[in-house]
Amino acid sequence: MTRENPRHVPVLLERVLGLLDPALADKDAVAVDATLGLGGHSEALLAAYPRLTLVGLDRDPNALALSRERLAPYADRIHFVHAVYDELPDVLEELGIPAVDGVLMDLGVSSMQLDEADRGFAYAKDAPLDMRMDPTTGITAADVLNTYEFPDLARILRDYGEERFAGKIAKAVVAQRQRAPFDTSGRLVQLLYDTVPAASRRTGGHPAKRTFQALRIEVNGELEILRRALPAALGALKVGGRIVVESYQSLEDRLVKRAFAELAKSTTPEGLPVELPGHGPQMRLLTRGAEQADEAEMEHNPRATPVRLRAAERIRKAS
């Protein structure tokens, strides 16, 4: 593991620490890193808060092995768990932890997964079309391309990749797989170069970016999992507990924004002169909109370029 590699630098680290600090400082606190990855954020949290116990979840067994190695100096204060983050309530119940002081979610594909060419996440490298965050289970990107009917392929590309040419790409995939099934990323990238109009390629970035995002989201069920994980994480927070979520594409960020906003508003019927007991906001928003990395961080750590950070604090338990 090369920590000096920019891809391995935790995104918005100081901001994450600053937002979580009031919930974790100077007490026996429990925090959840719901997307442990290579453990960069967790390492900083454990170093900063010597009384902190950390629950680290990751669906990728390779990531867990590497983070276990990196975080070995703090092993007596960490629970490593092979799980998807929507399983958080079950994980906490099994550990006997009724509520937590902090939650961090650093969403999307991890730097390690991008760096491992044979995982198929990076369109710049010819590799097997896998894209599973947990390579031990589930369908692959090749399965999606080779078995999904045209309408489903087009829908995935349109909804998850926000791809303008979804129908055109899906049609080309169906035609080409009749000659031979897709098995490597290089062939898919070539199809996309041939299918996406040149004018769009000049202004819309790499023609494979949106298709690869769509396939990855479908293979890993990312949006469905996030829809379940957000209420689970918010529900696990103690009063005074804080959650920080880093998203890397607009679909994720919209879900986070909606989940936070829903609990940050009063449920007292409009027109009443006073707040009804038990109807006040449950969460307080800690960020004005979504925060981004500054130019210096984006230059030093390109992975920070698309990040959108939102944070909130629990101010009242649900009735």
Side-chain angles (χ1 to χ4, degrees):
M1 178 168 58
T2 56
R3 293 188 199 178
E4 62 277 5
N5 184 327
R7 282 187 165 177
H8 294 160
V9 177
V11 172
L12 290 172
L13 178 60
E14 293 306 318
R15 183 59 172 148
V16 169
L17 292 175
L19 285 164
L20 290 174
D21 181 78
L24 305 181
D26 303 321
K27 64 180 180 181
D28 296 326
V30 177
V32 174
D33 187 338
T35 50
L36 186 60
L38 291 172
H41 285 105
S42 286
E43 183 178 48
L45 287 167
L46 289 159
Y49 305 107
R51 294 165 64 184
L52 176 68
T53 297
L54 188 123
V55 180
L57 280 66
D58 208 290
R59 69 199 301 183
D60 188 336
N62 297 335
L64 281 173
L66 287 170
S67 59
R68 208 182 275 272
E69 184 183 319
R70 179 179 193 161
L71 301 175
Y74 309 101
D76 60 335
R77 293 195 280 132
I78 308 176
H79 301 283
F80 293 95
V81 185
H82 181 214
V84 187
Y85 46 86
D86 65 338
E87 300 174 274
L88 179 60
D90 293 336
V91 169
L92 293 178
E93 183 178 1
E94 201 165 302
L95 293 172
I97 298 172
V100 302
D101 301 278
V103 175
L104 171 64
M105 292 181 174
D106 187 14
L107 302 173
V109 64
S110 77
S111 54
M112 179 206 71
Q113 290 160 343
L114 285 169
D115 287 346
E116 291 185 343
D118 61 355
R119 303 290 291 275
F121 286 103
Y123 45 78
K125 306 167 186 174
D126 190 20
L129 278 165
D130 193 312
M131 299 194 195
R132 292 174 296 171
M133 291 178 177
D134 181 349
T136 67
T137 186
I139 62 169
T140 67
D143 294 329
V144 173
L145 289 168
N146 294 323
T147 65
Y148 279 31
E149 298 296 332
F150 168 80
D152 290 326
L153 275 177
R155 173 185 55 79
I156 289 163
L157 296 173
R158 182 185 62 249
D159 292 353
Y160 296 165
E162 300 179 289
E163 173 58 71
R164 288 169 54 205
F165 305 103
K168 194 171 184 181
I169 293 168
K171 184 178 178 181
V173 167
V174 171
Q176 281 212 17
R177 76 188 187 193
Q178 290 174 351
R179 300 184 200 118
F182 284 88
D183 55 4
T184 65
S185 55
R187 183 174 165 217
L188 176 59
V189 169
Q190 186 59 56
L191 177 147
L192 294 165
Y193 267 111
D194 294 341
T195 306
V196 175
S200 177
R201 296 204 305 268
R202 285 193 293 270
T203 58
H206 197 290
K209 178 181 178 181
R210 291 173 293 278
T211 292
F212 272 61
Q213 174 181 298
L215 289 170
R216 193 198 78 219
I217 289 172
E218 174 67 12
V219 165
N220 296 289
E222 290 176 45
L223 296 181
E224 291 82 357
I225 287 169
L226 184 58
R227 282 190 188 94
R228 295 190 295 269
L230 285 166
L234 291 164
L237 287 173
K238 299 175 182 176
V239 172
R242 292 185 166 205
I243 181 170
V244 178
V245 183
E246 294 181 306
S247 306
Y248 295 86
Q249 39 100 343
S250 60
L251 300 172
E252 292 172 337
D253 184 52
R254 274 179 230 147
L255 290 177
V256 177
K257 177 182 179 180
R258 198 175 303 138
F260 283 12
E262 191 64 30
L263 296 184
K265 65 184 181 184
S266 170
T267 57
T268 295
E270 284 187 30
L272 292 186
V274 295
E275 187 87 70
L276 292 178
H279 286 259
Q282 295 181 39
M283 305 295 297
R284 177 171 69 92
L285 302 182
L286 300 173
T287 51
R288 294 185 64 182
E291 295 184 358
Q292 299 175 251
D294 60 27
E295 287 187 16
E297 178 165 2
M298 287 190 275
E299 186 174 341
H300 174 64
N301 182 9
R303 185 169 179 257
T305 302
V307 73
R308 299 292 183 271
L309 179 149
R310 295 182 188 269
E313 178 184 25
R314 179 164 286 285
I315 57 175
R316 181 178 71 82
K317 286 302 280 184
S319 301

